Amino acid sequence: MINGVLFDLDGTLLDHRAAADAAIADWLAARFPGHPRQAEAPALWAALEGPYLARWQAGECTVQEQRHLRLRALCRELDVPEPGPDDLDAAYADFAARYRRSWTAFPDAAAAVAALAGSSGPALGVLTNGTQPMQEAKVRAIGLAGPLRTVLTGEVLDGHYKPSPAAYTGAAAALGLATEEVLLVGDDIVRDVTAPAVTGMRSVWLDRLGVEEAPAGFPRITTLAELPALVASLR
């Protein structure tokens, strides 16, 4: 029986990719107007995101250092001057401000969460791999802080990030539930779908793009509008 639902945040509730793409394009245009590779910046920035975040989550660098490293790597790729040591924080803060201004919930997010919320509904929360302050700010910005009061990142789960098994067991414990009672909803096949199964946690793949094969044995939805009925069938 499912007594708790955990949502991934970026790519599931919040359109992170659109926000990050817009922010880095604006950042480059402001610093280097007319750059010939302007259109490539979002894809380049997206490609750098995973590897540098993984280094931070593995403890190889601080979150501030990974931000600096990622920004420098982008500048090298675009063949533009890298921010100097005294300008790195300000340069990243400029990008971050543009990113925050672009935070938007997916159109199906609020209704799905509202349909699950309530005294007789499952416990609700967010399990995400970002930094705690930023992810909490995102949930507030997209208007879901009421029903989604529990926001869990590796920073409050003893340094355990998805796909570490301890991230899932710790998240279930934070809801006061066994892993078998929790359903994780997310767009990443490994972090949100197959990895939780090792701990007994249930999962459902949110396949918004329809560009990958669905993992065998796991439920798949293409919109969060389908989630309430799925949860009801599992309760």
Side-chain angles (χ1 to χ4, degrees), residues 29-111:
R31 287 200 162 224
F32 306 101
H35 192 281
R37 298 178 66 191
Q38 172 79 29
E40 297 177 54
L44 293 171
W45 186 244
L48 292 168
E49 183 177 278
Y52 283 101
L53 285 176
R55 290 180 61 178
W56 161 57
Q57 291 160 6
E60 297 174 6
C61 61
T62 67
V63 67
Q64 181 185 39
E65 287 169 343
Q66 73 83 17
R67 290 166 174 169
H68 292 175
L69 290 167
R70 188 158 36 124
L71 206 54
R72 284 175 158 170
L74 178 71
C75 290
R76 288 194 298 272
E77 177 63 35
L78 293 172
D79 195 26
V80 297
E82 298 177 28
D86 296 333
D87 187 37
L88 275 168
D89 284 334
Y92 189 86
D94 182 19
F95 160 76
R98 298 171 191 275
Y99 175 51
R100 285 173 179 267
R101 289 196 293 270
S102 297
W103 286 347
T104 306
F106 284 104
D108 55 4

Side-chain angles (χ1 to χ4, degrees), residues 43 62 78-80 85 103 118 132 142 146 162-163 176 181 185 195 223:
T62 67
L78 293 172
D79 195 26
V80 297
W103 286 347
Q132 190 71 27
I142 61 176
K162 299 181 292 183
E181 297 178 86
V185 185
T223 168

Side-chain angles (χ1 to χ4, degrees), residues 100 103 130-140 153 155:
R100 285 173 179 267
W103 286 347
T131 63
Q132 190 71 27
M134 178 172 282
Q135 301 306 77
E136 289 179 349
K138 287 177 181 177
V139 174
R140 290 193 299 271
T153 73
E155 293 182 340

Side-chain angles (χ1 to χ4, degrees), residues 26 37 42 86 89 93 97 134 136 138 156 160 168 171 177 179 181 186-187 194 200 210-211 220-222 234:
D26 287 349
R37 298 178 66 191
D86 296 333
D89 284 334
M134 178 172 282
E136 289 179 349
K138 287 177 181 177
V156 298
H160 299 295
Y168 309 112
L177 299 171
T179 53
E181 297 178 86
D187 66 306
T194 58
V211 295
R220 168 183 171 272
I221 58 177
T222 58
L234 298 173

Side-chain angles (χ1 to χ4, degrees), residues 161-194:
Y161 295 86
K162 299 181 292 183
S164 166
Y168 309 112
T169 56
L175 293 182
L177 299 171
T179 53
E180 293 80 5
E181 297 178 86
V182 179
L183 178 74
L184 177 58
V185 185
D187 66 306
D188 187 287
I189 289 180
V190 174
R191 294 181 180 91
D192 300 323
V193 183
T194 58

